[in-house]
Amino acid sequence: MLVCFFVIAVNGQDDNARQDTSWKKKYRETHEQVNDLVHTKLDIKFDYAKAYAYGKVWLTLKPHFYSTQSLQLDAKGMEIKSISIVKGKSTLPLKYEYDGFVLQIALDKTYKGGENYTVYIDYTAKPNEVKVKGSAAINDAKGLYFVNPNGEEKDKPTQIWTQGETEANSVWVPTIDKPNQKTTQEFSMTVPDKYVTLSNGKLTGQKKNGDGTRTDTWKMDLPHAPYLFFMGVGDYSIIKDSYKGKEVSYYVEKEYAPVARKIFGNTPEMMAFFSRITGVDYPWVKYAQMVARDYVSGAMENTTATLHQESAQQDARELVDGNNWESTIAHELFHQWFGDYVTTESWSNLTLNESFANYSETLWDEYKYGKDAGDAQNFNDMQGYLQSGSDKKDLVRFYYGDKEEMFDAVSYNKGGRILHMLRNYVGDSAFFKSLNLYLTTNKFKAAEAQQLRLAFEEVTGRDLSWYWNQWYFGGGHPKLTIDYVYDDNAKKVHVIIKQTQAGDKVFRLPIAIDIYNGATKKRNQVWVENKIDTFSFDYTSKPDLVNVDGDKMLLTEKKDNKTLDNYIHQYKYAGNYLDRREAIDFAGRNIGDPKAWELVKTALKDKYPGLRNFALSKVDFRKENIKKEAEPIIADLAKNDPKSIVRAVAIGLLSNYNSPEYKDLLIKAVNDSSYSVAGNALEGLSKVDPASAMTAAKKLSAGESKGKLTESIMKVLIKSGTEADFDAVAKAYDKMPLGQEKFNLTPTFCDLISKLNSTDKFKAGVDAVVKFRDGIPEQYGVGPVIDNFLKSIVTKKEAAKNLVENKTTIQEQIDYVKGKIGGERKGF
Ligand SMILES: [Zn+2]
């Protein structure tokens, strides 16, 4: 699963804030396998009006090893009509107990280990009525979701989709809902004939029923875990590609059919790439990807049937800036190997799924777009972990409050970096051979982290317990201070590496120290393994640079005490993405030094667009000489850079120059096909000519806009607009899909609401924010943050009230927004 973290909310979460710490004593053991699933045959029919599903399921099981006469199944919030055992062509009713969550079934006799039997259950699933024990209805683990089931919301399609991970598919099908179970399946879904369906495996039959419905049968002949079951229903265009004769398809809303290949079209090449590096050809019968409305959880790797949230559907103009969903496409696809083919045996070991999916984003970028792109992805993911503030957690955790907490920056981002360092340590060839061994040894089974270690040990012949103990079964990361002492008399350089992280833990780090004289590099492999290590190297002439962690692969926070001259050399000769980035960063912090500015100026033409933008962020416009010298370079980037994301930033910066020529350029660029160029131009224009910006923003708000442009239109309208412009802003806000972008804009939108006089407009604005808040499942922790935005409206209105004579209107507005803060969260 790819969790689209709401950044503010996640940073706000902290285990220390939790009052109940009883989880610290609760060891999360792997679920005992008493009975094993063998095959799941399901007939299911949907009742849109009630948001129910009527199911009949035939579960074939067998005792795992020991004989048993009982069967425990997960079945959440169901109405159970009957349970029986299948005996040839007849059935025999079974006794059972049901508490709304778990079915305890007494079998007709004792079954021996490995002896198959089939249980039949007739039931109704009521996903909207599932209750957590002694609590209100839940919104975040309904398993089965009906979107606009009765067509009441205009402009919104009617859809059904499921989300199983972690243990929610047992809301719509009784099963053993644990990741260490695997089953083959045959799902027959009866749906209105006008819709298409998607499920795991192959579509083997379609039958019209004569009552306006149709029954589609999907078959999975290879076993997989219940949390990977999937059903999707809706009005979709299906665009078909293929990989080695297997169907690869993209389910998108009809208006996105023309751009579906631009979004998903690299999938077959990714399948070939991942098949090649793992040495395991794509294992499943087909691969489909579907986009769903109101799906907040990013994306989910249901076997052969990945589900993506709406953000995947980008229009042609958004795609001008690049496909920002491609990493997610890689992530979910790599799960088809790591997660679906070999599955974590417990949520404690979740990183066995997520570290690989996360790392696939780096691997794909490196392969497809070059080493800089891969390194940039690796660096960004590392920052995601470092900024998450969760460095105390172990990667594999046997103690946690709720299993959903495992889906964090440790399991994902840190796990990915641990794989990256491991790859550097053992080498590419051993790394990928070990992955192959892990996959082939554990295929169609569940695994734990030690099984990954054993695969690496068998391939490399090395004992790797230290690596697993340090990184998988321990927390934290090294914080390094690196100093250099050059002794010209002795002709020696001493490299002093201090580990400054809190606590007793000392990391063992195999790294390269590269010593440069001019373009010549001499590499030294060393082990950092003490609180303080000193490494001494002889030289004949004083080195221009000593570069610790020459491959820039370490997961670390470091204070690297190099000089500006060292960094200038590093930028030019060391050459990795991070070598260059560090040099730009240092120069940017010392921009007053002419040599530092020279470095930044060089970096404005870096071969990697992300670093050109990073260098642009370091231009200091308060310094006249820099401002002047940068002008022709920025103007050139604004007009001619091949990447729209660089042109966008450069165009925005032109507003720092009071030149009519640039004003014309900004006015023109407001209509650029790239949303980021248009958005930055609009904001730039608002600085040099607010009136023109306002005119442009009003005109643009009437048309289509998304992403950066929507954000910029709203900013300009909010800054310079009048109350009359509010409807346009509110409409644009309401149309934005649930996600980070909308979340980021919400404070600005609330600021605008606080300035409204019209109570009707005011209420409409507040309603739009509340609708957004209530559409996000509670687990994201966003609700209270949005309530704080709403409270800021109250504060501003209270202040405004003091300045007017007639306080009635403002008081009505204050009361209205107060009534919307907090309260019971409703799901979608
Ligand atoms: Zn994932």
Side-chain angles (χ1 to χ4, degrees):
M1 173 156 52
L2 185 103
V3 182
C4 290
F5 300 115
F6 283 88
V7 173
I8 291 176
V10 167
N11 287 347
Q13 275 176 1
D14 188 351
D15 285 342
N16 298 330
R18 183 194 300 281
Q19 308 246 307
D20 177 7
T21 55
S22 57
W23 61 272
K24 289 185 177 174
K25 290 186 182 153
K26 191 166 182 220
Y27 174 70
R28 303 282 178 173
E29 66 185 13
T30 301
H31 187 259
E32 185 182 352
Q33 293 161 274
V34 179
N35 288 283
D36 285 341
L37 293 169
V38 175
H39 184 67
T40 304
K41 184 178 176 326
L42 172 71
D43 284 352
I44 197 162
K45 205 157 94 185
F46 303 100
D47 184 333
Y48 284 79
K50 292 186 176 145
Y52 285 176
Y54 306 113
K56 297 178 198 307
V57 69
W58 291 261
L59 292 174
T60 301
L61 302 113
K62 60 181 183 198
H64 180 79
F65 183 84
Y66 301 108
S67 302
T68 184
Q69 201 182 345
S70 66
L71 167 65
Q72 182 176 311
L73 294 175
D74 298 296
K76 300 187 177 104
M78 291 178 181
E79 183 188 324
I80 304 293
K81 294 178 188 153
S82 74
I83 300 181
S84 49
I85 189 122
V86 179
K87 294 274 167 189
K89 286 190 174 158
S90 62
T91 58
L92 192 71
L94 294 176
K95 289 205 175 105
Y96 64 91
E97 283 173 18
Y98 183 47
D99 65 359
F101 297 90
V102 173
L103 277 167
Q104 294 285 357
I105 302 167
L107 297 172
D108 60 315
K109 61 166 196 146
T110 298
Y111 287 85
K112 290 198 197 82
E115 186 184 357
N116 281 8
Y117 59 88
T118 299
V119 168
Y120 167 77
I121 304 173
D122 188 356
Y123 66 94
T124 301
K126 304 176 174 180
N128 291 352
E129 296 166 32
V130 177
K131 307 271 185 198
V132 171
K133 274 173 193 160
S135 171
I138 53 168
N139 304 306
D140 48 4
K142 285 199 258 184
L144 172 63
Y145 294 78
F146 289 82
V147 177
N148 196 19
N150 303 312
E152 283 155 352
E153 285 181 73
K154 283 203 178 106
D155 304 325
K156 190 171 194 176
T158 295
Q159 298 175 347
I160 289 173
W161 48 263
T162 63
Q163 166 59 33
E165 198 172 24
T166 48
E167 296 173 9
N169 277 339
S170 46
V171 168
W172 54 271
V173 59
T175 187
I176 302 173
D177 206 352
K178 300 293 169 188
N180 62 347
Q181 286 287 328
K182 296 219 166 179
T183 171
T184 53
Q185 75 188 52
E186 182 178 338
F187 285 5
S188 294
M189 299 154 62
T190 299
V191 300
D193 195 19
K194 60 184 172 179
Y195 296 139
V196 298
T197 67
L198 175 64
S199 185
N200 316 94
K202 206 178 170 111
L203 180 64
T204 56
Q206 290 192 298
K207 195 181 100 223
K208 293 203 182 198
N209 299 318
D211 60 353
T213 66
R214 192 187 72 246
T215 302
D216 289 357
T217 299
W218 293 84
K219 244 177 135 171
M220 264 287 279
D221 291 329
L222 298 173
H224 70 147
Y227 76 89
L228 298 164
F229 293 167
F230 177 74
M231 302 188 297
V233 187
D235 188 13
Y236 286 98
S237 286
I238 307 172
I239 285 78
K240 288 184 181 171
D241 266 338
S242 75
Y243 168 72
K244 284 195 176 173
K246 291 176 177 177
E247 186 176 300
V248 176
S249 56
Y250 320 125
Y251 286 60
V252 294
E253 288 174 34
K254 297 219 150 87
E255 61 170 305
Y256 290 91
V259 287
R261 273 206 177 77
K262 280 197 174 134
I263 300 165
F264 295 108
N266 281 336
T267 305
E269 189 183 346
M270 277 182 198
M271 293 167 84
F273 172 62
F274 291 152
S275 295
R276 185 167 61 73
I277 60 173
T278 58
V280 173
D281 203 18
Y282 178 75
W284 312 102
V285 67
K286 67 125 199 297
Y287 188 58
Q289 295 172 86
M290 177 180 259
V291 182
R293 289 288 182 110
D294 292 348
Y295 180 64
V296 195
S297 296
M300 179 65 207
E301 68 272 18
N302 312 297
T303 315
T304 76
T306 284
L307 187 68
H308 294 279
Q309 70 161 235
E310 211 185 328
S311 312
Q313 282 182 162
Q314 305 152 83
D315 64 27
R317 282 188 69 185
E318 285 178 288
L319 290 163
V320 170
D321 292 332
N323 180 2
N324 68 28
W325 207 251
E326 191 160 297
S327 288
T328 307
I329 292 167
H331 179 116
E332 304 312 328
L333 178 60
F334 210 44
H335 269 313
Q336 303 295 317
W337 286 261
F338 294 92
D340 298 4
Y341 191 60
V342 178
T343 309
T344 179
E345 65 165 31
S346 67
W347 304 118
S348 295
N349 283 280
L350 179 67
T351 200
L352 286 183
N353 294 3
E354 296 302 348
S355 62
F356 285 103
N358 175 282
Y359 191 48
S360 76
E361 302 171 34
T362 294
L363 290 169
W364 168 254
D365 279 356
E366 179 187 311
Y367 157 79
K368 181 70 178 171
Y369 304 106
K371 185 155 185 310
D372 281 349
D375 285 352
Q377 178 70 40
N378 193 63
F379 175 76
N380 290 336
D381 273 338
M382 190 189 302
Q383 298 315 302
Y385 156 70
L386 292 175
Q387 287 159 18
S388 72
S390 41
D391 64 333
K392 290 193 190 84
K393 293 177 182 168
D394 294 352
L395 188 57
V396 176
R397 262 164 283 162
F398 297 103
Y399 297 86
Y400 51 74
D402 188 286
K403 53 193 182 307
E404 309 300 331
E405 289 163 19
M406 291 302 299
F407 295 77
D408 67 1
V410 176
S411 297
Y412 285 67
N413 302 41
K414 187 184 185 188
R417 308 306 56 80
I418 287 166
L419 292 173
H420 189 61
M421 289 188 289
L422 184 61
R423 176 183 165 202
N424 186 273
Y425 173 56
V426 301
D428 271 20
S429 151
F431 181 79
F432 292 112
K433 200 170 175 203
S434 303
L435 298 196
N436 175 269
L437 182 61
Y438 168 78
L439 286 169
T440 48
T441 307
N442 301 295
K443 65 180 175 184
F444 306 119
K445 293 197 282 193
E448 60 178 287
Q450 299 290 19
Q451 276 154 316
L452 186 66
R453 175 179 63 85
L454 293 173
F456 273 87
E457 291 192 345
E458 186 172 333
V459 168
T460 62
R462 294 178 183 167
D463 185 327
L464 291 165
S465 286
W466 69 271
Y467 193 89
W468 259 254
N469 289 340
Q470 173 169 295
W471 290 115
Y472 283 83
F473 304 109
H477 58 269
K479 294 183 182 173
L480 303 180
T481 300
I482 307 167
D483 286 293
Y484 308 86
V485 177
Y486 294 88
D487 182 344
D488 257 346
N489 293 328
K491 298 225 177 278
K492 263 186 196 303
V493 56
H494 307 288
V495 181
I496 304 150
I497 303 178
K498 262 187 232 156
Q499 301 197 26
T500 64
Q501 64 275 3
D504 296 334
K505 184 164 178 172
V506 177
F507 284 84
R508 204 172 170 224
L509 310 166
I511 56 167
I513 299 181
D514 293 340
I515 299 185
Y516 286 82
N517 283 94
T520 311
K521 172 176 96 177
K522 187 171 177 296
R523 170 154 291 196
N524 304 277
Q525 282 305 143
V526 302
W527 287 84
V528 171
E529 48 196 347
N530 298 293
K531 268 273 173 199
I532 302 178
D533 283 300
T534 302
F535 303 98
S536 302
F537 306 101
D538 296 329
Y539 60 75
T540 41
S541 61
K542 188 181 171 183
D544 295 306
L545 168 69
V546 175
N547 197 21
V548 173
D549 183 23
D551 292 329
K552 290 291 171 292
M553 54 79 200
L554 263 188
L555 169 55
T556 180
E557 287 174 280
K558 66 181 176 185
K559 190 166 179 290
D560 199 341
N561 293 316
K562 287 173 183 155
T563 63
L564 177 59
D565 284 337
N566 292 152
Y567 276 119
I568 291 168
H569 205 83
Q570 177 168 317
Y571 183 85
K572 192 168 175 195
Y573 292 104
N576 282 315
Y577 165 86
L578 203 50
D579 289 320
R580 278 141 56 216
R581 195 183 193 283
E582 285 173 6
I584 297 166
D585 193 40
F586 185 85
R589 283 185 278 113
N590 297 277
I591 199 82
D593 187 321
K595 283 197 285 185
W597 165 233
E598 275 307 312
L599 197 164
V600 171
K601 222 160 62 175
T602 308
L604 288 171
K605 293 170 184 169
D606 194 281
K607 63 180 168 149
Y608 186 66
L611 288 182
R612 294 201 289 282
N613 270 353
F614 189 55
L616 278 170
S617 76
K618 301 294 179 189
V619 176
D620 188 346
F621 292 94
R622 292 165 306 179
K623 295 196 162 60
E624 276 307 319
N625 65 317
I626 289 176
K627 186 177 168 185
K628 194 158 165 265
E629 281 182 48
E631 185 176 349
I633 308 173
I634 294 174
D636 180 55
L637 291 173
K639 289 174 200 157
N640 303 318
D641 198 280
K643 289 285 176 190
S644 62
I645 53 160
V646 179
R647 288 201 308 278
V649 173
I651 279 174
L653 293 176
L654 287 178
S655 60
N656 287 296
Y657 301 96
N658 204 0
S659 152
E661 185 203 338
Y662 299 149
K663 199 173 102 180
D664 291 346
L665 194 71
L666 288 168
I667 290 172
K668 209 174 134 224
V670 158
N671 296 307
D672 196 282
S673 63
S674 148
Y675 283 132
S676 65
V677 170
N680 277 288
L682 184 63
E683 283 184 54
L685 188 62
S686 76
K687 287 181 200 149
V688 295
D689 184 353
S692 303
M694 190 59 208
T695 312
K698 274 190 200 166
K699 208 173 137 205
L700 288 165
S701 73
E704 275 299 313
S705 77
K706 272 185 162 186
K708 174 67 190 161
L709 182 57
T710 306
E711 195 183 317
S712 302
I713 291 170
M714 289 185 72
K715 278 189 189 161
V716 171
L717 290 179
I718 288 166
K719 203 171 108 190
S720 329
T722 63
E723 189 138 351
D725 308 308
F726 179 75
D727 292 346
V729 185
K731 201 175 152 217
Y733 177 84
D734 201 45
K735 259 171 53 187
M736 292 177 81
L738 296 175
Q740 183 76 44
E741 204 172 69
K742 187 164 186 171
F743 177 77
N744 292 347
L745 265 177
T746 301
T748 320
F749 186 59
C750 287
D751 189 44
L752 179 64
I753 295 170
S754 70
K755 291 174 186 156
L756 295 169
N757 293 314
S758 152
T759 301
D760 285 347
K761 286 182 198 288
F762 181 88
K763 286 182 178 174
V766 171
D767 287 350
V769 175
V770 169
K771 182 174 156 199
F772 173 48
R773 179 194 69 189
D774 293 350
I776 304 166
E778 224 172 320
Q779 72 190 90
Y780 290 88
V782 171
V785 185
I786 294 181
D787 277 345
N788 281 337
F789 300 153
L790 293 171
K791 281 177 197 159
S792 77
I793 299 178
V794 175
T795 311
K796 284 170 189 160
K797 282 285 175 192
E798 294 279 7
K801 193 174 73 175
N802 293 331
L803 302 174
V804 297
E805 295 220 341
N806 183 354
K807 301 182 193 304
T808 327
T809 306
I810 296 190
Q811 191 56 50
E812 188 192 343
Q813 295 174 351
I814 290 170
D815 292 344
Y816 189 77
V817 68
K818 275 187 172 169
K820 299 284 181 178
I821 294 170
E824 196 186 333
R825 302 257 175 277
K826 279 184 70 189
F828 39 82

